[in-house]
Coordinates of all heavy atoms in Angstrom, one line a residue:
M1 N -14.0 5.3 3.6 CA -14.6 4.0 3.6 C -13.9 3.1 4.6 O -12.7 3.0 4.6 CB -14.5 3.4 2.2 CG -14.8 1.9 2.1 SD -14.2 1.1 0.6 CE -15.7 1.2 -0.4
P2 N -14.7 2.5 5.5 CA -14.0 1.6 6.5 C -13.5 0.4 5.9 O -14.0 -0.1 4.9 CB -15.2 1.3 7.5 CG -16.4 1.7 6.8 CD -16.1 2.6 5.7
L3 N -12.4 -0.1 6.4 CA -11.8 -1.3 5.9 C -12.4 -2.5 6.5 O -13.1 -2.4 7.5 CB -10.3 -1.3 6.2 CG -9.5 -0.2 5.6 CD1 -8.0 -0.2 6.1 CD2 -9.5 -0.3 4.1
A4 N -12.3 -3.6 5.9 CA -12.9 -4.9 6.4 C -11.8 -5.9 6.7 O -10.6 -5.7 6.3 CB -13.8 -5.5 5.3
A5 N -12.1 -6.9 7.5 CA -11.2 -7.9 7.9 C -10.6 -8.5 6.6 O -11.3 -8.5 5.6 CB -11.8 -9.0 8.7
D6 N -9.4 -8.9 6.6 CA -8.7 -9.5 5.4 C -8.1 -8.4 4.5 O -7.5 -8.7 3.5 CB -9.5 -10.5 4.7 CG -9.8 -11.7 5.5 OD1 -8.9 -12.1 6.4 OD2 -10.9 -12.3 5.4
A7 N -8.4 -7.1 4.8 CA -7.8 -6.0 4.0 C -6.4 -5.8 4.5 O -6.0 -6.3 5.5 CB -8.7 -4.8 4.2
T8 N -5.6 -5.0 3.7 CA -4.3 -4.6 4.2 C -4.3 -3.1 4.4 O -5.0 -2.4 3.8 CB -3.2 -5.1 3.2 OG1 -3.5 -4.4 1.9 CG2 -3.2 -6.6 3.0
L9 N -3.4 -2.8 5.3 CA -3.2 -1.4 5.7 C -1.7 -1.2 5.8 O -1.1 -1.7 6.7 CB -3.9 -1.0 7.0 CG -4.0 0.5 7.3 CD1 -4.6 1.3 6.2 CD2 -4.8 0.6 8.6
G10 N -1.1 -0.6 4.8 CA 0.4 -0.6 4.7 C 0.8 -2.0 4.5 O 0.2 -2.8 3.7
R11 N 1.7 -2.5 5.3 CA 2.2 -3.9 5.2 C 1.4 -4.8 6.1 O 1.6 -6.0 6.1 CB 3.7 -4.0 5.5 CG 4.0 -3.8 7.0 CD 5.5 -4.1 7.2 NE 5.8 -4.2 8.6 CZ 6.4 -3.2 9.2 NH1 6.8 -2.1 8.6 NH2 6.7 -3.3 10.5
F12 N 0.4 -4.3 6.8 CA -0.3 -5.1 7.8 C -1.6 -5.7 7.3 O -2.3 -5.0 6.6 CB -0.6 -4.2 9.0 CG 0.6 -3.5 9.6 CD1 0.9 -2.2 9.4 CD2 1.5 -4.2 10.4 CE1 2.0 -1.6 9.9 CE2 2.6 -3.6 10.9 CZ 2.9 -2.3 10.7
Q13 N -1.8 -6.9 7.6 CA -3.0 -7.7 7.2 C -4.0 -7.6 8.3 O -3.7 -8.1 9.4 CB -2.6 -9.1 6.9 CG -1.6 -9.3 5.8 CD -1.0 -10.7 5.7 OE1 -1.2 -11.5 6.6 NE2 -0.2 -10.9 4.7
L14 N -5.1 -7.0 8.1 CA -6.1 -6.8 9.1 C -6.8 -8.1 9.4 O -7.2 -8.8 8.4 CB -7.1 -5.7 8.8 CG -6.5 -4.3 8.4 CD1 -7.6 -3.3 8.1 CD2 -5.6 -3.8 9.6
R15 N -7.0 -8.4 10.7 CA -7.7 -9.7 11.0 C -9.1 -9.5 11.5 O -10.0 -10.0 11.0 CB -6.9 -10.5 12.0 CG -5.5 -10.9 11.5 CD -5.4 -12.3 11.3 NE -4.2 -12.7 10.5 CZ -3.2 -13.3 11.0 NH1 -3.1 -13.6 12.3 NH2 -2.2 -13.7 10.3
E16 N -9.2 -8.7 12.6 CA -10.5 -8.4 13.2 C -10.5 -7.1 14.0 O -9.4 -6.8 14.6 CB -11.0 -9.5 14.0 CG -10.2 -9.8 15.3 CD -10.7 -11.0 16.1 OE1 -11.6 -10.8 16.9 OE2 -10.2 -12.1 15.9
P17 N -11.6 -6.4 14.0 CA -11.6 -5.2 14.9 C -11.6 -5.5 16.3 O -12.3 -6.4 16.8 CB -12.9 -4.4 14.5 CG -13.7 -5.4 13.7 CD -12.8 -6.5 13.3
L18 N -10.8 -4.8 17.1 CA -10.7 -5.0 18.6 C -11.5 -3.9 19.3 O -11.9 -4.2 20.4 CB -9.2 -4.9 19.0 CG -8.3 -6.0 18.5 CD1 -6.9 -5.8 18.9 CD2 -8.8 -7.4 18.9
G19 N -11.6 -2.8 18.7 CA -12.4 -1.7 19.4 C -12.5 -0.5 18.5 O -11.8 -0.3 17.5
R20 N -13.5 0.4 18.9 CA -13.7 1.6 18.1 C -13.8 2.8 19.1 O -14.3 2.6 20.2 CB -15.1 1.5 17.4 CG -15.1 0.4 16.4 CD -16.5 0.3 15.7 NE -16.6 -0.9 14.9 CZ -16.0 -1.1 13.7 NH1 -15.3 -0.1 13.2 NH2 -16.1 -2.2 13.1
G21 N -13.3 3.9 18.7 CA -13.3 5.1 19.5 C -13.6 6.3 18.7 O -13.9 6.3 17.5
A22 N -13.4 7.5 19.3 CA -13.7 8.8 18.6 C -12.8 9.0 17.4 O -13.2 9.6 16.4 CB -13.5 9.9 19.6
Q23 N -11.5 8.6 17.5 CA -10.5 8.8 16.5 C -10.5 7.7 15.4 O -10.1 8.0 14.3 CB -9.1 9.0 17.0 CG -8.9 10.3 17.7 CD -7.4 10.4 18.1 OE1 -6.8 9.5 18.4 NE2 -7.0 11.7 18.1
G24 N -10.8 6.5 15.8 CA -10.6 5.4 14.8 C -11.0 4.0 15.3 O -11.6 3.9 16.4
V25 N -10.5 3.0 14.6 CA -10.7 1.6 14.9 C -9.4 1.0 15.2 O -8.4 1.2 14.4 CB -11.4 0.9 13.7 CG1 -11.6 -0.5 14.0 CG2 -12.7 1.6 13.3
V26 N -9.3 0.1 16.2 CA -8.1 -0.6 16.5 C -8.4 -2.1 16.0 O -9.4 -2.7 16.3 CB -7.8 -0.6 18.0 CG1 -6.6 -1.5 18.3 CG2 -7.5 0.8 18.5
W27 N -7.4 -2.5 15.2 CA -7.5 -3.9 14.6 C -6.5 -4.8 15.2 O -5.3 -4.4 15.4 CB -7.3 -3.8 13.1 CG -8.3 -3.1 12.3 CD1 -8.4 -1.8 12.0 CD2 -9.4 -3.8 11.6 NE1 -9.5 -1.5 11.2 CE2 -10.1 -2.7 11.0 CE3 -9.8 -5.1 11.5 CZ2 -11.2 -3.0 10.2 CZ3 -10.9 -5.3 10.7 CH2 -11.6 -4.3 10.1
L28 N -6.8 -6.1 15.3 CA -5.8 -7.1 15.4 C -5.3 -7.4 14.0 O -6.1 -7.5 13.1 CB -6.4 -8.4 15.9 CG -5.5 -9.7 15.9 CD1 -4.3 -9.5 16.8 CD2 -6.3 -10.9 16.3
A29 N -4.0 -7.3 13.8 CA -3.5 -7.4 12.5 C -2.2 -8.3 12.5 O -1.7 -8.7 13.6 CB -3.1 -6.0 11.9
F30 N -1.7 -8.6 11.3 CA -0.5 -9.5 11.2 C 0.5 -8.7 10.4 O 0.2 -8.1 9.4 CB -0.8 -10.8 10.6 CG 0.4 -11.7 10.5 CD1 0.9 -12.4 11.6 CD2 1.0 -11.9 9.3 CE1 2.0 -13.2 11.5 CE2 2.1 -12.7 9.2 CZ 2.6 -13.4 10.3
D31 N 1.7 -8.7 10.9 CA 2.9 -8.0 10.2 C 3.7 -9.1 9.6 O 4.5 -9.8 10.3 CB 3.7 -7.2 11.2 CG 4.9 -6.5 10.6 OD1 5.2 -6.8 9.4 OD2 5.5 -5.8 11.3
P32 N 3.6 -9.3 8.3 CA 4.3 -10.4 7.6 C 5.8 -10.2 7.6 O 6.6 -11.1 7.6 CB 3.7 -10.5 6.2 CG 3.1 -9.1 6.0 CD 2.7 -8.6 7.3
K33 N 6.2 -8.9 7.7 CA 7.7 -8.6 7.6 C 8.3 -9.1 8.9 O 9.4 -9.7 8.8 CB 7.8 -7.1 7.5 CG 9.3 -6.6 7.4 CD 9.3 -5.1 7.1 CE 10.7 -4.6 6.8 NZ 10.6 -3.2 6.6
L34 N 7.7 -9.0 10.1 CA 8.2 -9.4 11.3 C 7.6 -10.7 11.8 O 7.9 -11.2 12.9 CB 8.1 -8.3 12.4 CG 8.9 -7.0 12.0 CD1 8.6 -6.0 13.1 CD2 10.4 -7.3 11.8
A35 N 6.6 -11.3 11.1 CA 5.9 -12.5 11.4 C 5.4 -12.5 12.8 O 5.6 -13.4 13.6 CB 6.9 -13.7 11.2
R36 N 4.5 -11.5 13.1 CA 3.9 -11.4 14.4 C 2.6 -10.6 14.4 O 2.4 -9.8 13.4 CB 4.8 -10.7 15.4 CG 5.1 -9.3 15.1 CD 6.0 -8.7 16.2 NE 6.5 -7.4 15.8 CZ 7.4 -6.7 16.4 NH1 7.9 -7.2 17.5 NH2 7.8 -5.6 16.0
E37 N 1.7 -10.9 15.4 CA 0.5 -10.2 15.5 C 0.8 -8.8 16.1 O 1.7 -8.7 16.9 CB -0.5 -10.9 16.3 CG -1.1 -12.1 15.6 CD -2.2 -12.8 16.4 OE1 -2.2 -12.8 17.7 OE2 -3.1 -13.3 15.7
V38 N 0.0 -7.8 15.6 CA 0.2 -6.4 16.1 C -1.2 -5.8 16.2 O -2.2 -6.4 15.7 CB 1.0 -5.6 15.2 CG1 2.5 -6.1 15.1 CG2 0.4 -5.5 13.8
A39 N -1.3 -4.7 16.9 CA -2.5 -3.9 16.9 C -2.3 -2.7 16.0 O -1.2 -2.1 16.0 CB -2.8 -3.4 18.3
V40 N -3.3 -2.4 15.1 CA -3.2 -1.3 14.2 C -4.4 -0.4 14.5 O -5.5 -0.8 14.5 CB -3.2 -1.8 12.7 CG1 -3.2 -0.6 11.8 CG2 -1.9 -2.6 12.5
K41 N -4.1 0.9 14.7 CA -5.2 1.9 14.9 C -5.3 2.7 13.6 O -4.4 3.3 13.1 CB -4.8 2.9 16.0 CG -5.9 3.8 16.3 CD -5.6 4.7 17.6 CE -6.7 5.6 17.9 NZ -6.3 6.5 19.1
Q42 N -6.5 2.6 13.0 CA -6.9 3.2 11.7 C -7.7 4.5 12.0 O -8.7 4.4 12.7 CB -7.7 2.3 10.9 CG -8.4 2.9 9.7 CD -9.5 2.0 9.2 OE1 -9.7 0.8 9.6 NE2 -10.3 2.5 8.3
M43 N -7.3 5.6 11.5 CA -8.1 6.9 11.7 C -9.4 6.9 10.9 O -9.5 6.4 9.8 CB -7.2 8.1 11.2 CG -7.9 9.4 11.5 SD -6.9 10.8 10.8 CE -5.9 11.2 12.3
H44 N -10.5 7.3 11.6 CA -11.8 7.5 10.9 C -11.7 8.5 9.8 O -11.0 9.5 9.9 CB -12.8 8.0 11.9 CG -13.3 7.0 12.9 ND1 -13.7 5.7 12.5 CD2 -13.5 7.1 14.2 CE1 -14.2 5.1 13.6 NE2 -14.0 5.9 14.6
A45 N -12.5 8.3 8.8 CA -12.5 9.2 7.6 C -12.9 10.6 8.1 O -12.4 11.6 7.6 CB -13.4 8.7 6.5
G46 N -13.9 10.7 9.0 CA -14.4 12.0 9.4 C -13.4 12.8 10.3 O -13.7 13.9 10.6
A47 N -12.3 12.1 10.7 CA -11.4 12.8 11.6 C -10.1 13.1 10.9 O -9.0 13.2 11.5 CB -11.1 11.9 12.8
R48 N -10.1 13.4 9.6 CA -8.9 13.6 8.8 C -8.7 15.1 8.4 O -8.2 15.3 7.3 CB -8.9 12.7 7.6 CG -8.8 11.3 8.0 CD -8.7 10.4 6.8 NE -9.1 9.0 7.2 CZ -9.5 8.1 6.3 NH1 -9.5 8.4 5.0 NH2 -9.8 7.0 6.7
D49 N -9.0 16.0 9.3 CA -8.6 17.4 9.0 C -7.3 17.7 9.6 O -6.6 16.8 10.2 CB -9.7 18.3 9.5 CG -9.9 18.2 11.0 OD1 -9.0 17.9 11.8 OD2 -11.0 18.5 11.5
A50 N -6.8 18.9 9.3 CA -5.4 19.2 9.8 C -5.3 19.2 11.3 O -4.2 18.7 11.8 CB -5.0 20.6 9.3
A51 N -6.3 19.6 12.0 CA -6.2 19.5 13.5 C -6.2 18.1 14.0 O -5.4 17.7 14.9 CB -7.3 20.3 14.1
A52 N -7.0 17.3 13.4 CA -7.0 15.8 13.7 C -5.7 15.2 13.4 O -5.2 14.4 14.2 CB -8.1 15.1 13.0
A53 N -5.1 15.5 12.3 CA -3.8 14.9 11.9 C -2.7 15.3 13.0 O -1.9 14.5 13.3 CB -3.4 15.4 10.5
Q54 N -2.8 16.6 13.4 CA -1.8 17.0 14.5 C -2.0 16.3 15.8 O -1.0 15.9 16.5 CB -1.9 18.5 14.6 CG -1.3 19.3 13.5 CD 0.1 18.9 13.1 OE1 1.0 18.8 14.0 NE2 0.3 18.6 11.8
R55 N -3.3 16.1 16.2 CA -3.5 15.3 17.4 C -3.1 13.9 17.2 O -2.5 13.3 18.2 CB -5.0 15.3 17.7 CG -5.5 16.7 18.2 CD -6.9 16.6 18.8 NE -7.9 16.1 17.8 CZ -8.6 16.9 16.9 NH1 -8.3 18.2 16.9 NH2 -9.4 16.3 16.1
W56 N -3.3 13.3 16.1 CA -2.9 11.9 15.8 C -1.3 11.8 15.9 O -0.8 10.9 16.5 CB -3.3 11.6 14.4 CG -3.2 10.2 13.9 CD1 -2.2 9.7 13.2 CD2 -4.1 9.1 14.1 NE1 -2.5 8.3 12.9 CE2 -3.6 8.0 13.5 CE3 -5.3 9.1 14.8 CZ2 -4.3 6.8 13.5 CZ3 -6.0 7.8 14.8 CH2 -5.5 6.7 14.2
L57 N -0.6 12.8 15.3 CA 0.8 12.7 15.4 C 1.3 13.0 16.8 O 2.3 12.3 17.3 CB 1.4 13.8 14.4 CG 2.9 13.8 14.2 CD1 3.4 12.4 13.8 CD2 3.3 14.9 13.2
A58 N 0.7 13.9 17.6 CA 1.0 14.1 19.0 C 0.8 12.8 19.8 O 1.7 12.5 20.6 CB 0.2 15.2 19.5
E59 N -0.3 12.1 19.5 CA -0.5 10.8 20.2 C 0.6 9.8 19.9 O 1.2 9.2 20.8 CB -1.8 10.2 19.8 CG -2.1 8.9 20.4 CD -3.4 8.2 19.9 OE1 -4.2 8.9 19.3 OE2 -3.5 7.0 20.2
A60 N 1.0 9.7 18.6 CA 2.0 8.8 18.2 C 3.4 9.1 18.9 O 4.1 8.3 19.4 CB 2.2 8.8 16.7
R61 N 3.7 10.4 19.0 CA 5.0 10.8 19.6 C 4.9 10.5 21.1 O 5.9 10.1 21.7 CB 5.2 12.3 19.3 CG 5.6 12.6 17.9 CD 5.8 14.0 17.7 NE 6.3 14.3 16.3 CZ 6.0 15.3 15.6 NH1 5.4 16.3 16.1 NH2 6.5 15.4 14.4
T62 N 3.8 10.8 21.7 CA 3.7 10.5 23.2 C 3.8 9.0 23.4 O 4.6 8.6 24.3 CB 2.3 11.0 23.7 OG1 2.3 12.5 23.5 CG2 2.2 10.7 25.2
V63 N 3.1 8.2 22.7 CA 3.1 6.8 22.9 C 4.4 6.2 22.6 O 4.9 5.3 23.3 CB 2.0 6.1 22.1 CG1 2.1 4.6 22.1 CG2 0.6 6.5 22.6
S64 N 5.1 6.7 21.6 CA 6.4 6.2 21.2 C 7.5 6.4 22.3 O 8.5 5.7 22.4 CB 6.9 6.8 20.0 OG 7.3 8.2 20.2
R65 N 7.3 7.3 23.3 CA 8.2 7.5 24.4 C 7.9 6.7 25.6 O 8.7 6.7 26.5 CB 8.2 9.0 24.8 CG 8.8 9.9 23.7 CD 9.0 11.3 24.2 NE 7.7 12.1 24.3 CZ 7.2 12.8 23.4 NH1 7.8 13.0 22.2 NH2 6.0 13.4 23.6
L66 N 6.8 6.0 25.6 CA 6.4 5.2 26.8 C 7.0 3.8 26.7 O 7.1 3.2 25.6 CB 4.9 5.1 26.9 CG 4.2 6.4 27.0 CD1 2.6 6.2 27.0 CD2 4.6 7.2 28.3
S67 N 7.3 3.3 27.8 CA 7.8 1.9 27.9 C 7.3 1.3 29.2 O 7.7 1.6 30.3 CB 9.3 1.9 27.9 OG 9.8 0.5 28.1
H68 N 6.3 0.4 29.0 CA 5.6 -0.3 30.2 C 5.0 -1.6 29.7 O 4.5 -1.6 28.5 CB 4.5 0.7 30.7 CG 3.9 0.2 32.0 ND1 2.9 -0.7 32.0 CD2 4.2 0.5 33.3 CE1 2.6 -1.0 33.3 NE2 3.4 -0.2 34.1
P69 N 5.0 -2.6 30.5 CA 4.5 -3.9 30.1 C 3.0 -3.9 29.7 O 2.5 -4.7 28.9 CB 4.7 -4.8 31.3 CG 5.6 -4.1 32.2 CD 5.6 -2.7 31.8
N70 N 2.3 -2.9 30.2 CA 0.8 -2.8 29.9 C 0.5 -1.8 28.8 O -0.7 -1.5 28.6 CB 0.0 -2.5 31.2 CG 0.2 -3.6 32.2 OD1 0.3 -4.7 31.8 ND2 0.1 -3.2 33.5
I71 N 1.5 -1.2 28.1 CA 1.3 -0.3 27.1 C 1.9 -0.9 25.8 O 3.1 -1.3 25.8 CB 1.9 1.1 27.4 CG1 1.2 1.7 28.6 CG2 1.7 2.1 26.2 CD1 1.8 2.9 29.1
V72 N 1.2 -0.9 24.7 CA 1.8 -1.4 23.5 C 2.9 -0.5 23.0 O 2.9 0.7 23.2 CB 0.7 -1.5 22.3 CG1 -0.4 -2.5 22.7 CG2 0.1 -0.2 22.0
T73 N 3.9 -1.1 22.3 CA 5.0 -0.3 21.7 C 4.6 0.1 20.3 O 4.0 -0.6 19.6 CB 6.2 -1.3 21.6 OG1 6.5 -1.7 22.9 CG2 7.4 -0.5 21.0
L74 N 4.8 1.4 20.1 CA 4.5 2.0 18.7 C 5.7 1.7 17.8 O 6.8 2.1 18.1 CB 4.3 3.5 18.9 CG 3.9 4.2 17.6 CD1 2.5 3.6 17.1 CD2 3.8 5.7 17.8
F75 N 5.4 1.0 16.7 CA 6.4 0.7 15.7 C 6.3 1.5 14.5 O 7.3 1.7 13.8 CB 6.3 -0.8 15.3 CG 6.6 -1.8 16.4 CD1 5.6 -2.4 17.1 CD2 7.9 -2.0 16.7 CE1 5.9 -3.3 18.1 CE2 8.3 -2.9 17.8 CZ 7.3 -3.5 18.4
E76 N 5.2 2.1 14.2 CA 5.0 2.8 12.9 C 3.9 3.8 13.0 O 2.8 3.5 13.6 CB 4.8 1.8 11.8 CG 4.8 2.4 10.4 CD 4.9 1.4 9.3 OE1 5.2 0.2 9.6 OE2 4.6 1.8 8.2
A77 N 4.0 5.0 12.5 CA 3.0 6.0 12.3 C 3.0 6.5 10.9 O 3.9 7.0 10.4 CB 3.2 7.1 13.3
E78 N 1.9 6.2 10.2 CA 1.8 6.6 8.8 C 0.6 7.5 8.6 O -0.5 7.1 8.6 CB 1.6 5.3 7.9 CG 1.6 5.6 6.5 CD 2.9 6.3 6.0 OE1 4.0 5.7 6.1 OE2 2.8 7.4 5.5
L79 N 1.0 8.8 8.4 CA -0.1 9.8 8.2 C -0.4 10.0 6.7 O -1.5 10.4 6.3 CB 0.3 11.2 8.7 CG 0.4 11.3 10.3 CD1 0.9 12.6 10.7 CD2 -1.0 11.0 10.8
A80 N 0.6 9.6 5.8 CA 0.4 9.8 4.4 C -0.5 8.7 3.8 O -1.0 8.9 2.7 CB 1.7 9.8 3.7
A81 N -0.7 7.6 4.5 CA -1.5 6.5 4.0 C -3.0 6.9 4.0 O -3.4 7.8 4.7 CB -1.3 5.3 4.9
N82 N -3.7 6.2 3.2 CA -5.1 6.4 3.2 C -5.8 5.1 3.5 O -5.9 4.2 2.7 CB -5.6 6.9 1.8 CG -7.0 7.4 1.8 OD1 -7.6 7.5 2.9 ND2 -7.6 7.5 0.6
P83 N -6.3 4.9 4.7 CA -6.4 5.9 5.8 C -5.1 5.9 6.6 O -4.3 5.0 6.6 CB -7.5 5.3 6.7 CG -7.4 3.9 6.5 CD -7.0 3.7 5.0
P84 N -4.8 7.0 7.4 CA -3.7 7.1 8.2 C -3.8 6.0 9.3 O -4.9 5.6 9.7 CB -3.8 8.5 8.9 CG -4.6 9.3 7.9 CD -5.6 8.3 7.3
F85 N -2.6 5.5 9.8 CA -2.7 4.5 10.9 C -1.5 4.6 11.8 O -0.4 5.1 11.4 CB -2.8 3.1 10.2 CG -1.7 2.7 9.4 CD1 -0.6 2.0 9.9 CD2 -1.6 2.9 8.0 CE1 0.5 1.6 9.2 CE2 -0.6 2.5 7.2 CZ 0.5 1.9 7.8
L86 N -1.6 4.0 13.0 CA -0.5 3.8 13.9 C -0.3 2.3 14.1 O -1.3 1.5 14.1 CB -0.8 4.4 15.3 CG -1.2 5.8 15.4 CD1 -1.6 6.2 16.8 CD2 0.0 6.7 14.9

């Protein structure tokens, strides 16, 4: 089931969808723990098989090693959540 604005995903408060792709939806969200806006990528329900989870984790690991002003910093990857998110 897709989440709606004002829902929470982990500790993040979803504000509005920013974009949709093959793997999931990217949300503008708020992190109350750090008091800042963040982007949260939520995995689509149809993409939650074992192979998709491995691709998701590989993406998280790759992105976490990047450091560039035009690339977002990855702070959290949660595969056990329902739905999984970055």
Side-chain angles (χ1 to χ4, degrees):
M1 165 195 269
L3 297 176
D6 298 325
T8 58
L9 191 54
R11 72 174 189 256
F12 305 102
Q13 300 165 354
L14 304 181
R15 298 253 168 103
E16 64 181 277
L18 297 174
R20 299 178 190 282
Q23 288 187 325
V25 178
V26 176
W27 290 87
L28 172 64
F30 182 73
D31 180 351
K33 186 175 185 180
L34 299 177
R36 64 177 170 191
E37 287 188 326
V38 296
V40 173
K41 184 175 180 182
Q42 165 200 353
M43 184 183 268
H44 283 314
R48 295 187 200 156
D49 59 29
Q54 288 307 309
R55 287 190 303 273
W56 190 262
L57 188 55
E59 176 185 348
R61 288 179 176 150
T62 299
V63 171
S64 72
R65 290 189 290 267
L66 300 175
S67 178
H68 188 276
N70 295 330
I71 299 174
V72 298
T73 302
L74 182 64
F75 292 103
E76 188 167 344
E78 184 57 66
L79 291 175
N82 189 14
F85 64 90
L86 304 176

